[in-house]
Amino acid sequence: MAAPVARGECSEAALAAALADVPELARLLELDPYLKPFALDFQHRYKKFNETLNNIGENEGGIDKFSRGYESFGVHRCADGGLYCKEWAPGAEGVFLTGDFNDWNPFSYPYKKLDYGKWELYIPPKQNKSQLVPHGSKLKVVIRSKSGEILYRISPWAKYVTREGENVNYDWTHWDPEHPYKFKHSRPKKPRGVRIYESHVGISSYEGKIASYKHFTYNVLPRIKDLGYNCIQMMAIMEHAYYASFGYQITSFFAASSRYGTPEELKELVDTAHSMGITVLLDVVHSHASKNSEDGLNMFDGTDSCYFHSGPRGNHDLWDSRLFIYSSWEVLRFLLSNIRWWVEEYGFDGFRFDGVTSMLYHHHGMGQAFSGDYHEYFGLQVDEDALVYLMLANHLVHTLYPDSITVAEDVSGMPALCSPISQGGVGFDYRLAMAIPDKWIQLLKEFKDEDWNMGNIVYTLTNRRYLEKCIAYAESHDQALVGDKTLAFWLMDAEMYTNMSVLTPFTPVIDRGIQLHKMIRLITHALGGEGYLNFMGNEFGHPEWLDFPRKGNNESYHYARRQFHLTDDDLLRYKFLNNFDRDMNKLEERCGWLSAPQAYVSEKHEGNKIIAFERAGLVFIFNFHPSKSYTDYRVGTTLPGKFRIVLDTDAAEYGGHQRLDHSTEFFSQPFKHNERPCSLLVYIPNRVGLILQNVDMPN
């Protein structure tokens, strides 16, 4: 990252005060002295976080209790068979409960008004003790607005919403099963090196339809396990009325999407993943909400505020959605309880926070280039209310669930986003390395292979803040969406339709595509971060793009599916990419390069198109040259002794040309090369990546 242009140093007294207020700020400033001029910003953020946390303690009995809002808000069956209901609707003149249970009489069950905009209702049990509101029956909250308008709303705390037939809007369905799912398996321990399989339940079938939780559990989870991924990131689980939003326009925050099945079936999915030792992350969207009012949070109490900023500040112009008011006490309760709910009720092991850049800044990242100048990350453009909410969310998750994982989707590169809160950081475990996929797409779109800049590739893969962990990825769902192309499609395009059969000879396009697809993934995996992510299907070079049914494509599901059967066809070359992805992940599990210190890059040779580096006791060598192979190429290493190839992209089982003999032994000599004390001579064919392991050292 570029060195910032420093502003005036804060005074010694002010710095001393900041160091006194933030317990481990000295450590952060030691790691990055360029942050010293901004010590007062870290102090202010930390104090605001601490004050909020203390206020929660004094007024709510602590964040543990505060984050259990779902236990009282919404609708709950009491031990005596009665019903307790509670809502926050500060702009309402009256609140009522209606539904199937009272023949949709809108005013027969009025809520009692409490302080601070809260409303509650207790309905005594029936004399025969039967359920007042049966499981599966429909409900609505009725709001009388200050203008006298009568509004039918879904509770923000609704646990299940459904859409029947051709209905446009969702209905609130009371979920209170007689036999709820009981978890059988304990949560897995936090992985030392996280390998994430980014997943979407709805598109997980090859059929042109919305797939189910059951389908994913029994058909996709075994594939993920076999591929060597130890973590799945579940997209589009929080209920969203518009399927084509990819799950990023949330309407019901506490409801698991009913289009895939029931809440109990989602619990079974998570539990089954745990039985396989797979950690499960939820893609949580707290950066904005759908504008829907009939079946969303918007205008819940008849006002444009309630959960959101009023006026223009409450709208995201690019996303056409509503923006939360993070300084609101009840919004904090709602969002923190939402975090807690998904962990407690469904067994999720952590979160990937979507749209963090939009949350961090008042400009929401729109029109910002983020050059790396540190002034971009501090000052009035930062939304400190949102930043403090993120600190509270990370504090909650990591305090109550120490093995949990949080990942930030932030394109800005804000310093200390993944530093501990005690240092003045925001407390995330990882951030997504979002520059990496852009770099690969740029190279494939704009440069000939012989013009690829090795130094620029290495810079992009290693340009991350020290001790702030990154999730590296060559491509995610973003690159698969219509309007863009996957790496496989950039590489092979239309020939994927005609020349992927093993019965036909390699064409130059398919040969190049298959070899570079593996090399790009391996170097990203090994050099790009402390975690790795892949979007479902891209591991085997899934053809075509991803496009959800919408008016623009005549509501077609043709591109809203994953054709896993392509890898099972022994006559197609997709199996080669699938095999390589599996063995790459399983080698990382054995050798642990993701959890090792950042690699030492000993060579980035522009003429030869060679990149060589060491990490976790392994030597990685990549020859990106389109035509030149090298015999007895000298590569530096710190380790003396005997080496063998443990993985190479040119192996026959990966669709390679089998030019490397894995029985060959390489001996390093005390011959200094590229600032390494030892070196060895290796044959490196063109368009090949390989990993050497010192066989004299234990695995």
Side-chain angles (χ1 to χ4, degrees):
M1 186 171 286
V5 180
R7 66 183 181 186
E9 296 279 341
C10 58
S11 69
E12 289 298 321
L15 178 59
L19 291 170
D21 285 338
V22 186
E24 297 177 17
L25 179 59
R27 174 61 174 155
L28 180 66
L29 302 184
E30 177 190 348
L31 292 170
D32 186 354
Y34 287 113
L35 289 174
K36 203 170 183 180
F38 307 97
L40 299 185
D41 295 83
F42 288 107
Q43 178 192 32
H44 183 69
R45 295 173 183 182
Y46 183 81
K47 287 180 75 173
K48 191 168 183 176
F49 157 77
N50 226 24
E51 286 166 6
T52 307
L53 194 61
N54 289 336
N55 285 339
I56 291 172
E58 291 169 9
N59 296 288
E60 300 282 352
I63 198 167
D64 185 356
K65 187 177 178 182
F66 186 60
S67 61
R68 294 179 181 271
Y70 52 82
E71 293 181 351
S72 57
F73 285 85
V75 172
H76 302 273
R77 177 160 49 94
C78 303
D80 65 0
L83 209 66
Y84 180 76
C85 315
K86 191 175 182 181
E87 297 295 342
W88 178 61
E93 281 294 310
V95 179
F96 310 85
L97 186 70
T98 189
D100 293 334
F101 78 103
N102 72 340
D103 295 325
W104 293 97
N105 183 325
F107 306 121
S108 62
Y109 286 101
Y111 284 63
K112 174 188 172 186
K113 189 171 185 178
L114 305 175
D115 292 335
Y116 308 112
K118 296 173 191 171
W119 302 77
E120 72 172 0
L121 166 66
Y122 173 71
I123 306 176
K126 292 182 178 180
Q127 287 187 344
N128 63 6
K129 300 296 183 183
S130 64
Q131 283 191 341
L132 276 166
V133 179
H135 169 66
S137 61
K138 302 291 192 295
L139 291 170
K140 286 279 188 182
V141 173
V142 180
I143 302 287
R144 181 188 288 130
S145 73
K146 289 183 177 176
S147 65
E149 191 178 3
I150 300 302
L151 307 168
Y152 286 80
R153 296 289 190 248
I154 292 175
S155 170
W157 304 81
K159 299 170 186 173
Y160 192 54
V161 296
T162 55
R163 182 163 58 189
E164 296 180 357
E166 299 300 314
N167 289 355
V168 173
N169 295 322
Y170 275 75
D171 293 315
W172 176 13
T173 301
H174 184 56
W175 192 259
D176 188 15
E178 185 179 356
H179 302 292
Y181 184 84
K182 288 183 170 55
F183 287 90
K184 304 175 184 68
H185 306 282
S186 58
R187 300 173 187 270
K189 291 289 184 185
K190 183 188 291 189
R192 60 174 186 161
V194 64
R195 301 181 299 276
I196 301 173
Y197 198 79
E198 189 181 29
S199 305
H200 187 292
V201 170
I203 65 169
S204 63
S205 166
Y206 70 88
E207 299 178 77
K209 65 177 186 179
I210 297 175
S212 67
Y213 294 126
K214 285 279 189 185
H215 171 84
F216 192 93
T217 301
Y218 294 106
N219 295 283
V220 183
L221 280 180
R223 289 184 182 274
I224 296 171
K225 175 66 175 175
D226 179 66
L227 282 166
Y229 291 92
N230 56 17
C231 181
I232 53 176
Q233 177 189 307
M234 303 298 296
M235 307 175 65
I237 295 297
M238 300 166 74
E239 191 60 273
H240 48 293
Y242 185 41
Y243 187 45
S245 75
F246 219 143
Y248 292 121
Q249 294 273 347
I250 306 300
T251 43
S252 289
F253 283 73
F254 286 82
S257 182
S258 61
R259 55 172 54 87
Y260 318 127
T262 69
E264 310 314 300
E265 289 166 346
L266 174 57
K267 293 172 189 176
E268 181 190 24
L269 187 162
V270 174
D271 197 26
T272 304
H274 287 168
S275 76
M276 298 176 175
I278 296 173
T279 295
V280 188
L281 305 183
L282 177 72
D283 203 345
V284 69
V285 186
H286 283 180
S287 48
H288 64 132
S290 168
K291 273 190 172 178
N292 288 21
S293 55
E294 294 284 334
D295 53 7
L297 280 184
N298 191 25
M299 305 288 291
F300 173 68
D301 65 353
T303 71
D304 76 333
S305 53
C306 198
Y307 288 92
F308 309 108
H309 288 287
S310 182
R313 190 179 173 189
N315 297 310
H316 195 295
D317 295 334
L318 192 62
W319 296 342
D320 192 31
S321 54
R322 298 303 314 275
L323 297 172
F324 288 105
I325 178 166
Y326 299 103
S327 59
S328 165
W329 193 260
E330 292 304 325
V331 170
L332 282 180
R333 186 197 308 276
F334 180 79
L335 294 176
L336 291 172
S337 296
N338 192 234
I339 293 287
R340 184 77 176 268
W341 167 256
W342 291 105
V343 178
E344 291 283 349
E345 184 71 11
Y346 288 95
F348 282 96
D349 305 298
F351 303 91
R352 179 261 200 191
F353 282 74
D354 180 68
V356 168
T357 307
S358 176
M359 298 173 72
L360 291 174
Y361 308 98
H362 292 299
H363 52 62
H364 308 299
M366 292 187 287
Q368 304 296 313
F370 292 112
S371 66
D373 184 329
Y374 278 18
H375 291 89
E376 296 169 339
Y377 308 118
F378 302 95
L380 296 178
Q381 66 262 37
V382 175
D383 186 338
E384 290 202 335
D385 294 329
L387 189 142
V388 167
Y389 162 66
L390 290 171
M391 294 170 76
L392 288 167
N394 277 299
H395 172 78
L396 172 72
V397 170
H398 292 122
T399 301
L400 297 180
Y401 316 101
D403 273 347
S404 61
I405 296 170
T406 58
V407 181
E409 188 218 21
D410 169 45
V411 72
S412 76
M414 175 177 271
L417 187 68
C418 298
S419 297
I421 294 171
S422 58
Q423 293 181 9
V426 186
F428 283 101
D429 292 300
Y430 298 90
R431 70 186 341 137
L432 293 176
M434 300 181 74
I436 295 175
D438 292 343
K439 174 54 60 179
W440 291 123
I441 295 296
Q442 181 198 34
L443 288 172
L444 293 174
K445 282 175 68 174
E446 300 176 12
F447 294 91
K448 297 177 181 178
D449 293 5
E450 55 266 31
D451 294 331
W452 285 18
N453 186 295
M454 300 296 104
N456 190 247
I457 291 173
V458 169
Y459 174 79
T460 303
L461 289 169
T462 58
N463 181 30
R464 54 189 185 271
R465 296 182 56 77
Y466 181 56
L467 296 185
E468 291 194 47
K469 294 187 287 188
C470 286
I471 303 290
Y473 58 105
E475 54 187 338
S476 69
H477 71 272
D478 287 325
Q479 287 71 42
L481 286 170
V482 63
D484 206 339
K485 292 182 182 180
T486 63
L487 288 179
F489 226 57
W490 277 115
L491 287 162
M492 296 176 277
D493 208 33
E495 287 205 23
M496 295 187 77
Y497 297 115
T498 56
N499 295 321
M500 288 297 277
S501 170
V502 298
L503 301 179
T504 61
F506 262 140
T507 66
V509 168
I510 295 296
D511 187 14
R512 170 183 178 266
I514 284 181
Q515 310 319 325
L516 285 179
H517 193 273
K518 293 174 290 184
M519 292 181 71
I520 287 170
R521 276 172 151 63
L522 180 58
I523 196 170
T524 301
H525 204 309
L527 192 57
E530 290 70 36
Y532 178 75
L533 178 143
N534 167 69
F535 178 63
M536 63 189 308
N538 286 353
E539 69 277 2
F540 65 83
H542 196 286
E544 302 174 327
W545 52 89
L546 185 62
D547 192 12
F548 286 85
R550 54 190 174 84
K551 287 183 180 178
N553 63 14
N554 296 316
E555 303 295 336
S556 171
Y557 285 86
H558 180 74
Y559 296 110
R561 59 194 180 119
R562 296 280 93 178
Q563 300 179 59
F564 288 111
H565 63 285
L566 294 175
T567 66
D568 302 328
D569 190 331
D570 216 37
L571 296 179
L572 294 177
R573 292 187 166 108
Y574 296 102
K575 66 179 181 180
F576 297 136
L577 301 178
N578 196 75
N579 292 344
F580 179 76
D581 199 73
R582 178 197 63 219
D583 291 352
M584 174 177 67
N585 282 324
K586 293 192 173 179
L587 182 63
E588 195 289 322
E589 175 67 25
R590 200 169 83 232
C591 300
W593 62 70
L594 289 172
S595 56
Q598 194 162 327
Y600 182 92
V601 180
S602 60
E603 183 164 351
K604 37 194 176 182
H605 197 293
E606 300 303 338
N608 295 338
K609 301 300 176 194
I610 297 286
I611 296 172
F613 57 90
E614 293 174 277
R615 192 175 186 187
L618 303 170
V619 178
F620 297 80
I621 311 168
F622 294 84
N623 179 3
F624 281 98
H625 203 288
S627 58
K628 285 186 181 178
S629 300
Y630 304 100
T631 304
D632 289 340
Y633 197 92
R634 187 170 293 278
V635 176
T637 176
T638 55
L639 300 171
K642 183 167 63 178
F643 289 77
R644 281 193 179 138
I645 298 170
V646 288
L647 185 71
D648 93 272
T649 61
D650 202 43
E653 60 267 35
Y654 310 141
H657 299 287
Q658 209 171 356
R659 290 168 289 177
L660 292 167
D661 184 354
H662 283 220
S663 66
T664 303
E665 296 178 342
F666 305 90
F667 294 88
S668 70
Q669 306 157 327
F671 187 93
K672 189 175 180 180
H673 183 70
N674 287 339
E675 304 304 318
R676 303 277 86 185
C678 303
S679 59
L680 60 162
L681 299 174
V682 187
Y683 170 52
I684 316 172
N686 67 300
R687 285 196 184 126
V688 166
L690 66 143
I691 305 176
L692 300 173
Q693 185 175 41
N694 189 308
V695 297
D696 295 332
M697 295 182 65
N699 288 348

